[in-house]
Amino acid sequence: MNNFGSVGVASPDHADHDGPDLELLRAHVRVQWADALEHDDFGDDEDFFEIGGNSLLVAEIMATLGAQLGARLALRLFFDHSTVNELTRVLAAHEAFRAPAR
């Protein structure tokens, strides 16, 4: 079980009653960024590395988010999606959110 509510989206642009609440997930991502950066003075479309982030903080953030999801998250996800909005979308589409076969 994860801390993001129910699981099960196939696409980051499609959230239904079985999918995670993207706003809740975005809030979790944002909190992790703010904790790691020690400030919350950034927009959801700002690049993490342009607002003071570094690779050590990426590892910290992804470890924490992965623990919350109950999944191991590749650091590459963050490097390829380095804004709150991009990371939220890719995490919503991540295997950890997919519903089990019924």
Side-chain angles (χ1 to χ4, degrees), residues 44-86:
D44 291 349
D45 289 315
E46 288 188 76
D47 187 274
F48 181 76
F49 301 102
E50 293 176 7
I51 59 172
N54 61 53
S55 59
L56 293 176
L57 296 178
V58 169
E60 177 185 318
I61 291 167
M62 293 302 274
T64 302
L65 289 172
Q68 290 173 339
L69 283 169
R72 185 177 175 136
L73 300 174
L75 297 182
R76 188 88 231 149
L77 289 175
F78 196 109
F79 290 108
D80 291 343
H81 307 281
S82 59
T83 71
V84 169
N85 284 330
E86 290 173 358

